[in-house]
Amino acid sequence: MTTSVSPDDAWLRASIDLATRNVAAGGGPFGAVIVRAGEVIATGTNQVTPTLDPTAHAEVVAIRAACQAVGDFRLTGCVLVSSCEPCPLCLSAALWARVDRVVYAADRDDAAAAGFDDRAFHDLFGRPRDTWSLPVHRISTGDDNAPFTAWLSRADRIDY
């Protein structure tokens, strides 16, 4: 673990403060900020239980808000700062949003000690699919590529 004072320290503290306040408000203990050019452009807190949305993790909520704030699905030039190590869902969202980097405070072991054990998800993707507890199978319809063919035929598509 690296402990130092860095330009990200204030943003990490802000994400921790968001997470702590969210607990007091009845939400989960996770907070995130999106920073661009030294300014916070969006924040997010865990909203899974209040919104009944299992994807409403703090990082995803912050990414959604940041994309709306900048008017683009790409967050190039941005940093995702989280109170805790992002789970695979949130890391995937950060990759799709094309943030420049991710920094976090607590890690997956700290989360597990508080009852939020996503280590199994981190480990899952390194294993063959046939060993997963959730069956995931491809079944071909014979017309599997129709949506992609339609997409590629559009001259006005916005590639991402």
Side-chain angles (χ1 to χ4, degrees):
M1 175 175 62
T2 302
T3 303
S4 66
V5 176
S6 72
D8 300 317
D9 190 62
W11 311 125
L12 284 164
R13 291 180 189 285
S15 70
I16 292 167
D17 183 54
L18 280 169
T20 304
R21 287 186 314 202
N22 197 50
V23 170
F30 302 95
V33 299
I34 305 285
V35 179
R36 178 181 271 171
E39 298 293 326
V40 172
I41 61 168
T43 65
T45 56
N46 182 283
Q47 295 297 308
V48 170
T49 56
T51 63
L52 306 177
D53 178 355
T55 69
H57 292 199
E59 297 89 343
V60 173
V61 171
I63 287 168
R64 289 173 181 162
C67 288
Q68 292 299 307
V70 302
D72 197 343
F73 60 86
R74 294 168 292 234
L75 296 176
T76 306
C78 294
V79 179
L80 169 60
V81 182
S82 181
S83 63
C84 186
E85 180 177 5
C87 72
L89 167 75
C90 296
L91 287 173
S92 295
L95 288 165
W96 278 111
R98 294 166 179 81
V99 299
D100 286 6
R101 61 191 177 95
V102 175
V103 296
Y104 60 89
D107 67 15
R108 65 184 80 173
D109 296 319
D110 298 319
F116 296 89
D117 193 353
D118 63 3
R119 290 177 296 196
F121 298 128
H122 285 280
D123 296 342
L124 177 71
F125 296 110
R127 296 192 344 242
R129 274 193 190 169
D130 61 359
T131 67
W132 293 9
S133 61
L134 172 68
V136 178
H137 303 286
R138 179 177 186 210
I139 300 173
S140 181
T141 65
D143 199 22
D144 303 343
N145 287 321
F148 298 122
T149 301
W151 172 256
L152 291 170
S153 71
R154 292 198 57 136
D156 64 341
R157 74 179 180 267
I158 299 172
D159 292 325
Y160 62 96

